[in-house]
């Protein structure tokens, strides 16, 4: 399983990141499993909140001002609609977007694939995808989402 689906509980404060961290470390010792990738995701979550504190407009503006691009190109409307509905013709991308629309979840690696596809391959402004994910994700989080989308688009500090 690629996703713990704990993010909504972390977001709404029903789970503490410290409790999750401690439980993961205990599981690593008790069961001898590698929890480092999971802990890295937990760290990335906090890094996103730090970015939002430093760049309070990052959900609306590119962190790198030089990468600011015009939004809403009419010529890309058909492409964006195909992406949103999971009808791009690329099975992995389409599967992720169908999962998003039907369940409200998508694994982090698949989020990266679909975001990169839209921003890098289709050359669509990152805010279009960010808004779509914010509308459909059960665990939508402005800080994490904006940083993830800007990273995918190459407009974050560590893209």
């Amino acid at each position: 399983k690629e996703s713990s689906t704990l993010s909504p509980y972390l977001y709404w404060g029903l789970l503490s990141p410290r409790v999750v961290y401690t439980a993961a470390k205990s599981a690593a010792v008790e069961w001898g499993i590698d929890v480092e990738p999971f802990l890295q995701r937990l760290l990335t979550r906090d890094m996103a909140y730090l970015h939002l504190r430093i760049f309070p407009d990052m959900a609306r503006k590119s962190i790198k001002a030089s990468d600011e691009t015009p939004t809403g190109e009419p010529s890309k409307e058909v492409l964006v609609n195909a992406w949103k509905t999971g009808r791009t013709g690329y099975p992995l991308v389409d599967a992720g977007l169908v999962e998003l629309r039907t369940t409200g979840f998508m694994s982090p690696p698949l989020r990266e694939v679909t975001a990169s596809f839209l921003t890098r391959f289709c050359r669509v402004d990152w805010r279009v995808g960010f808004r779509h994910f914010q509308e459909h994700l059960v665990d939508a989080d402005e800080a994490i989402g904006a940083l993830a989308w800007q990273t995918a688009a190459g407009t974050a500090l560590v893209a």
Side-chain angles (χ1 to χ4, degrees), residues 15-54:
L15 273 178
S16 158
R18 287 183 184 184
V19 168
V20 173
Y21 177 86
T22 304
K25 282 296 208 180
S26 294
V29 171
E30 187 175 334
W31 297 321
I33 58 175
D34 180 20
V35 295
E36 289 308 311
F38 176 78
L39 295 177
Q40 184 62 42
R41 292 275 180 202
L42 201 56
L43 176 64
T44 300
R45 173 188 176 276
D46 287 339
M47 185 179 75
Y49 288 118
L50 176 63
H51 273 75
L52 185 61
R53 186 164 176 84
I54 295 168

Side-chain angles (χ1 to χ4, degrees), residues 68-109:
E68 200 63 36
T69 57
T71 58
E73 294 179 42
S75 61
K76 301 215 176 183
E77 192 173 321
V78 171
L79 182 58
V80 169
N81 285 333
W83 179 84
K84 286 180 176 180
T85 57
R87 293 193 170 114
T88 65
Y90 291 84
L92 183 61
V93 173
D94 293 346
L97 290 157
V98 168
E99 177 187 21
L100 174 64
R101 288 173 53 97
T102 57
T103 69
F105 283 101
M106 186 188 297
S107 70

Side-chain angles (χ1 to χ4, degrees), residues 41 106-119 133 148-149 151-152:
R41 292 275 180 202
M106 186 188 297
S107 70
L110 199 46
R111 291 180 192 197
E112 293 170 18
V113 168
T114 56
S116 293
F117 179 85
L118 185 68
T119 59
F133 272 41
W149 275 94
T151 300

